[in-house]
Amino acid sequence: MSTADLRIGYAAGAFDLFHIGHLNLLRHAKSECDLLIAGVVSDEMLRLTKGITPVIPLAERMEIVSHISYVDRVHAEVVPDKLDTWREVRFTHFFKGDDWRGTEKGRRLEREFAAVGVEVVYFPYTMSTSSTVLRRALAALNGEPERVNG
């Protein structure tokens, strides 16, 4: 298989408080591509785009994700625009949880990526566990007030 025929997948996430939903995304993504790159969103981008400060720092999250057997390469995502990330990484498939399907953000992502030949592939979102729920549980255990932004 030539490199031109490779299906290069990109699955981005905070991967903070790593849980089964993260593993499911990476497992599904790897099954759909030849080379899987996991984009680990930087602390600064998480504060900017989601208003959250991760519990686990970027370097440690990258180390954890790099040791997941489904992941071939890890990329620190330090820009907010996914097209800028594509220009750096050059993936052919972008993987996202299906909680984005049919949303304005999802439709915009699909349009932007279609213009550069990238297919957006959705996978089932794991409803049973989320980083938001884990953050709330940690805050409650520490006697902290619940934060709106996760």
Side-chain angles (χ1 to χ4, degrees), residues 39-145:
V40 181
V41 181
S42 72
D43 301 1
E44 295 76 21
M45 284 301 102
L46 287 172
R47 282 190 284 275
L48 177 72
T49 61
K50 291 191 172 191
I52 62 169
T53 299
V55 175
I56 312 294
L58 176 63
E60 293 178 21
R61 290 183 284 124
M62 290 181 68
E63 181 73 12
I64 292 165
V65 172
S66 74
H67 284 83
I68 303 299
S69 62
Y70 307 113
V71 175
D72 297 299
R73 206 168 89 211
V74 174
H75 174 78
E77 197 169 290
V78 297
V79 294
D81 188 331
K82 297 296 186 208
L83 276 179
D84 287 338
T85 299
W86 171 79
R87 288 180 189 97
E88 292 175 37
V89 178
R90 295 295 177 164
F91 44 85
T92 61
H93 294 75
F94 183 83
F95 301 113
K96 199 71 186 150
D98 66 1
D99 54 320
W100 276 54
R101 187 192 308 267
T103 67
E104 181 49 42
K105 291 188 302 186
R107 287 190 293 271
R108 183 174 61 245
L109 194 67
E110 291 168 24
R111 284 191 305 272
E112 290 175 352
F113 278 146
V116 295
V118 172
E119 181 183 349
V120 176
V121 180
Y122 294 102
F123 293 124
Y125 182 78
T126 304
M127 297 300 289
S128 61
T129 307
S130 78
S131 296
T132 300
V133 170
L134 292 173
R135 267 190 199 82
R136 286 184 185 140
L138 285 173
L141 287 172
N142 290 324
E144 300 169 8

